[in-house]
Structures are given as structure tokens and as C-alpha cells.
Amino acid sequence: MRSDNVRKGMQQAPHRSLFHALGMTHEEMDKPMVGIVSSYNEIVPGHMNIDKIVDAVKLGVAEAGGVPVVFPAIAVCDGIAMGHVGMKYSLVTRDLIADSTECMALAHQFDALVMVPNCDKNVPGLLMAAARVNIPTIFVSGGPMLAGHIKGRKRSLSSMFEAVGSYSAGTMTEADVTEFEEKVCPTCGSCSGMYTANSMNCLTEAIGMGLRGNGTIPAVYSDRLILAKHAGMKVMELLRKNIRPRDILTEKAFHNALTVDMALGCSTNTMLHLPAIAHEAGVDLDVDMANAVAARTPNLCHLAPAGPTYMEDLNEAGGVYAVMNELDKKKLLYTDLITCTGKTVGENIAGCVNKDPEVIRPIDNPYSEVGGLAVLKGNLAPDSGIVKRSAVAPSMLRHEGPARVFDCEEDAIAAIKGGKIVAGDVVVIRYEGPKGGPGMREMLNPTSAIAGMGLGETVALITDGRFSGASRGASIGHVSPEAAVGGPIALVEEGDIISIDIDACRLDVKVSDDELASRRAKWQPREPRVTTGYLARYAKMTTSGNRGAILDINQ
């Protein structure tokens, strides 16, 4: 066992004295030591129940003959961080989480790990750590929130942000907004739509690192505690069989994850996180391949914000495995891959039927014949831009309009709420990328303001930043190269005509090559917005969105 390095032999007597200080018995020191990475805290609604999940995991590990040892991982609530300087600190925690987990796991020589994340950056950060450390590992999330109920309709956090836009437009009263804020988030858990947290927890199942139900069983259901106990037991089986993350996180497994991503209509942020996880696993995942996967993968689900169904509905309909079973009817998945269950993908999904064809469309009756995400390219995005196609109104799949240019999110929000953006406009928000932000802020406030003011089917938004999974509409993010490194988005001027063709995967500014070259010759880099602390170090090392905003020591 790896833990023998700190618990066996005369040279390790000082180490054992410290384990005794923890209350560990001689008998326990003969058993495998399993690290449980707990994302519990009292500021993130998706994490406030994780202490109970961790306790259940500990019981499962002990029942199966291991010694559970808990250590923490940080987490930022994107909803609370949204719309101010705090959002600069969201994406960047993904690397802090991966780095700190690597440090703890290797410094203390754990034999195996159980990752207990839930929200946006914890899941990919811990998947990155799992691939990097490469000891037997399994995931069990805190689970999704139940949907709110307002005036007879299910609602979620995206509805809350849009309510603020509706209030600005005069179509909602203050009392209406208050009702939303009191009822839209009724339980603990990751926010109830197919936003980034739930997208990544579902893809953890699809890629083979989480048990069935990891992405969909609601946080408040007792089934979540049962799942956690089973995860604790299962990690001991993975240890005995020596099944490690890199055995599971293969190139074909990432193909499966992308395929399920397209069928579910996941958050655009998966196009940041999957390449970053693949990088740690030694797999080259080029986001360009997403269009090829989308072209052959039907979109089967329209969960909020794309439609009226929620994670609890997906769970009742059969969950991720039922979606995968539909996809397998057209042989769209690699089913012979090993997973954290100790079985193959095919064995896992056998018999997992679709129980609700309105929540999970049958493979022969999809919402769309193509997947939920699209990678756009053109002279405005030579490397890439990402859009959640499944959440775009059909009328906006092709659009041309004048650029309304803003160099930060705050200025754009002021213009939108001030009534200065009109139907047909294309809002461009730049210098918000990984380097330029720094930190690549999510833009849920401007997208929600546009939707709330009734402009969601007539106004597009383009940014080198990114969008919340709760965003909907013609919202194109991750535009690369970003403005801070001189990407073409830095050269756009007020009134330039922007051409969007999502079906053709094109994003262009209708300006001649000569004019763009002239503007480029005059362009000067901006002074960094942050010059001290972690954000300054991050800005120096991060790459653009098309590479997953990974840290590169050669930057």
C-alpha cells in the first residue's frame, strides 16, 4: 500500500506517533487509508449538505475495510460571486482545488480518494486532481437543488436573474421580485437547472468516474446518502482491483462525455473544463472536435434554462444512464470502457430505460438532430467561440447586427438596464477573458438582463469571457484569442456589423482584412487590471478559452 510509506517500518515510528495523535489505532494503521476530499462549507448552498454526504462516505469506506480520513477543498458560489469583482475569483479556484488536493494526497500518501464536490469549479478541479494523482478514486457529489415553485410554475436561479431584468423593464413589481427571491431556491444543492455544476456532475457519470445517479439524485433525497455509502464501498473495490483514474479517463471516455454533453444540452463551461481535465489525463482534447460530435449526436433534453424541465425531472426519467441508453441505440458511445463501477459502460447502462419521453426525448424524436453546443469560428474568433445552441431561439441562429462595444461587464450592464440596447444589436464585452479579466468572469447578469427586458430573441451577446450555465439566448463566449492578447475581438469598433451563423458555425465581423490589419497595427495592450496576488500570477500563466484556460508555465 502507498500508505506504508508513512506507517510501516522503524523509520516511520515518528509518523506513527502523529497518527496516534489523531486517535488512529494500530489496527487502523494496517488498513488502507482513504482520503475523502470534502467541499463542505457554509457559504455555498450546493455544499451546505456535504458534511452529511461525507459522513455517509466514511461509513461506506469503513464498512468495506478502509480507514476514512477527511480533508477540505475550497469552493466559490458563482451565484453570490456574480456581477462584481468576486467573479474574477471563480474559475481560478479550479486550479487551486486541483493543486491543493494533489498536495494533500501525495504529502500524506493516501491509498485511494473519494471526491465530494458539487458546484462549478470543484467538480472539474477535483477531476483534474484525480487524473494528476492517479490513485483509485471515485466521485459522489452533493446533488442538485429542487426547483422552486412560483405561481404554479417550476423556477430556478436563472429565473431569479431574469426577474431583475424584468423589473428594470417595468414588467415586474418589487413584490414580484421578492417572491422570486424567497422561493426560487427552496433547498440546498447545486442550482436546479442544467447549469455548470449539474452539467459536470452528469458528465462525471458519463465519463465513468461517478456512480449512477451522481448527477441527478436531489441533494435532499435519502437516496443521495445511500449513493455516498456505496461510493465509499466501491472505492475499496477499485483499490483492490487497482483501477485508477487514467485507466478510466481515456480518449474514448472523453468522446463519450462530449456525446452525452451534446445530448443533455450542457453548459458552455464544459468546453473549458473537459479540455483541462483531459490535459491532466494526458489526452489531447481539441474543442474543434465538438462540432463533429454534435453533428452526429441528437439533442435529447431541454432542461432549464433551455426548457421547462429540471434536474429532479431528469432523475425521475431515468437519469444520465437512460440518456446514454438512448444514445447507444444508434451506437454513439464506446460501451467497452471500464468505469468506477468496476464494470463497462455497456454493463452500466443495460436496462436503464427512458421513463419519460418528454424529459428525455427518444433517439428517433429528438429536440434537434444536432447536439446542444456549437464551436464557432471566423475572423472574429479564429481559434473558437462557444454557444449553447439548444438555448438559442430559432430566429437567432442566424443574425446580423451592429456591434455595441464594451470593455468590461459593468459598462454593458449599465447600457442594457439603461435602455441603450435595442433589438438587432450585438453586445460585445471584451477584456474579460482568462488573462484580461483576469479570471474570465461569467456573464449571467447581462444575459439575464437582456432576457428579462424582452430582448432575448433579438439581441446577441459576444464575449471573450464566459457565461453561466444559467444563461440562454444567442450568447457566444470563450472568443479566442482574447482581447488581452490582441485577438480580433479587441479590434471591433462601435457599429461594425457582426455576422452570426450558428448552423454554419461561423462568427465574423464584416470588416475587410486590410481594415483589420490597419487596426491591429494601432492596437496597444492594456495595462493589467490586477498586479498583485493570486490573480496576477494566474493572468501570467493562463491560456485562452480554446485551450480550456489551463495554466501553462511556458506562458
Side-chain angles (χ1 to χ4, degrees):
M1 293 186 295
R2 179 186 293 260
S3 60
D4 287 351
N5 293 329
V6 292
R7 295 192 299 180
K8 298 294 183 184
M10 183 55 64
Q11 291 298 318
Q12 281 65 45
H15 305 69
R16 289 194 297 275
S17 72
L18 294 169
F19 283 112
H20 283 302
L22 294 170
M24 193 174 290
T25 67
H26 286 292
E27 291 84 359
E28 286 176 306
M29 280 189 261
D30 287 330
K31 297 178 180 179
M33 189 166 62
V34 179
I36 302 174
V37 188
S38 171
S39 298
Y40 169 76
N41 63 47
E42 295 183 341
I43 190 63
V44 184
H47 292 225
M48 64 180 286
N49 66 317
I50 280 180
D51 57 339
K52 297 176 178 62
I53 304 296
V54 166
D55 285 345
V57 171
K58 290 171 68 176
L59 286 171
V61 170
E63 175 72 18
V67 178
V69 180
V70 180
F71 64 89
I74 64 168
V76 165
C77 177
D78 279 19
I80 294 173
M82 194 72 65
H84 56 90
V85 67
M87 183 45 71
K88 294 179 184 289
Y89 287 90
S90 173
L91 177 61
V92 302
T93 64
R94 186 184 70 182
D95 295 277
L96 284 175
I97 292 160
D99 292 348
S100 60
T101 302
E102 173 195 0
C103 292
M104 290 293 287
L106 296 182
H108 301 104
Q109 293 292 284
F110 288 102
D111 296 302
L113 295 170
V114 181
M115 307 295 199
V116 191
N118 207 22
C119 289
D120 297 30
K121 309 311 164 308
N122 292 76
V123 184
L126 291 178
L127 281 165
M128 290 165 66
R132 193 184 298 175
V133 175
N134 200 36
I135 60 176
T137 301
I138 197 167
F139 278 67
V140 55
S141 78
M145 183 183 292
L146 294 177
H149 290 260
I150 302 171
K151 293 181 172 61
R153 292 182 60 188
K154 286 185 177 181
R155 297 288 193 172
S156 61
L157 185 64
S158 55
S159 306
M160 181 72 255
F161 277 88
E162 291 178 14
V164 176
S166 297
Y167 175 77
S168 298
T171 58
M172 261 195 187
T173 66
E174 185 174 350
D176 291 331
V177 175
T178 299
E179 183 179 11
F180 267 73
E181 71 180 72
E182 291 174 349
K183 296 181 178 179
V184 80
C185 295
T187 71
C188 62
S190 48
C191 296
S192 55
M194 188 54 81
Y195 309 149
T196 306
N198 292 326
S199 295
M200 291 307 304
N201 281 320
C202 287
L203 295 188
T204 300
E205 282 189 61
I207 210 166
M209 291 294 291
L211 299 178
R212 181 182 182 184
N214 179 68
T216 60
I217 297 172
V220 294
Y221 283 14
S222 297
D223 276 352
R224 176 64 52 180
L225 299 177
I226 295 170
L227 179 74
K229 290 176 185 177
H230 284 153
M233 296 175 191
K234 186 62 68 173
V235 79
M236 297 303 296
E237 179 184 331
L238 295 176
L239 179 60
R240 289 193 298 272
K241 294 180 177 179
N242 196 30
I243 298 174
R244 303 183 181 213
R246 290 196 183 192
D247 298 325
I248 297 169
L249 297 173
T250 63
E251 183 175 353
K252 290 180 178 179
F254 282 99
H255 174 280
N256 282 354
L258 270 176
T259 302
V260 175
D261 190 337
M262 296 298 172
L264 286 172
C266 290
S267 164
T268 53
N269 283 311
T270 61
M271 292 294 101
L272 281 177
H273 300 321
L274 287 176
I277 298 160
H279 175 74
E280 297 292 351
V283 174
D284 183 16
L285 184 65
D286 189 335
V287 296
D288 287 355
M289 72 177 287
N291 283 341
V293 174
R296 59 178 177 265
T297 307
N299 177 227
L300 305 182
C301 298
H302 266 193
L303 290 102
T309 53
Y310 295 83
M311 297 306 297
E312 63 205 66
D313 302 312
L314 179 59
N315 187 63
E316 294 301 319
V320 175
Y321 279 15
V323 174
M324 295 175 74
N325 205 13
E326 288 291 341
L327 294 170
D328 189 46
K329 292 175 182 178
K330 288 196 173 181
K331 305 302 179 187
L332 295 174
L333 298 174
Y334 293 101
T335 57
D336 59 343
L337 309 181
I338 195 66
T339 71
C340 70
T341 66
K343 300 178 180 179
T344 65
V345 171
E347 290 172 315
N348 288 342
I349 67 175
C352 296
V353 299
N354 180 0
K355 299 175 183 177
D356 190 336
E358 291 304 310
V359 176
I360 304 171
R361 287 284 185 89
I363 194 75
D364 56 359
N365 182 34
Y367 281 102
S368 168
E369 292 291 345
V370 294
L373 298 178
V375 178
L376 311 186
K377 287 195 173 188
N379 70 350
L380 187 51
D383 290 338
S384 67
I386 307 292
V387 65
K388 188 170 184 175
R389 185 204 313 253
S390 60
V392 178
S395 60
M396 290 297 288
L397 291 172
R398 296 183 66 183
H399 179 76
E400 285 193 1
R404 306 299 309 279
V405 182
F406 304 93
D407 287 349
C408 67
E409 178 186 2
E410 289 82 357
D411 290 349
I413 292 171
I416 295 164
K417 292 187 175 179
K420 297 179 180 178
I421 303 301
V422 299
D425 284 347
V426 178
V427 177
V428 177
I429 306 177
R430 62 192 181 189
Y431 294 101
E432 290 285 8
K435 284 184 178 294
M440 203 178 188
R441 288 195 286 181
E442 286 185 345
M443 304 286 177
L444 181 55
N445 274 354
T447 59
S448 297
I450 287 169
M453 296 183 76
L455 297 171
E457 296 188 8
T458 57
V459 169
L461 197 156
I462 296 170
T463 182
D464 54 5
R466 61 196 179 94
F467 296 108
S468 164
S471 294
R472 61 187 177 97
S475 302
I476 301 166
H478 310 192
V479 170
S480 303
E482 62 173 292
V485 298
I489 192 171
L491 310 179
V492 176
E493 295 182 357
E494 187 80 7
D496 285 348
I497 300 301
I498 305 292
S499 174
I500 301 165
D501 190 335
I502 294 173
D503 287 335
C505 298
R506 295 291 306 181
L507 179 62
D508 295 284
V509 55
K510 300 185 82 171
V511 172
S512 70
D513 292 345
D514 289 345
E515 174 61 19
L516 284 177
S518 174
R519 294 180 188 180
R520 185 177 302 283
K522 299 172 186 175
W523 178 81
Q524 293 293 324
R526 302 291 181 92
E527 289 295 319
R529 285 173 171 159
V530 179
T531 58
T532 60
Y534 178 59
L535 284 180
R537 297 197 302 275
Y538 180 89
K540 288 183 178 180
M541 295 177 65
T542 189
T543 61
S544 279
N546 67 300
R547 291 182 59 192
I550 61 170
L551 299 186
D552 187 342
I553 60 174
N554 297 313
Q555 283 286 106

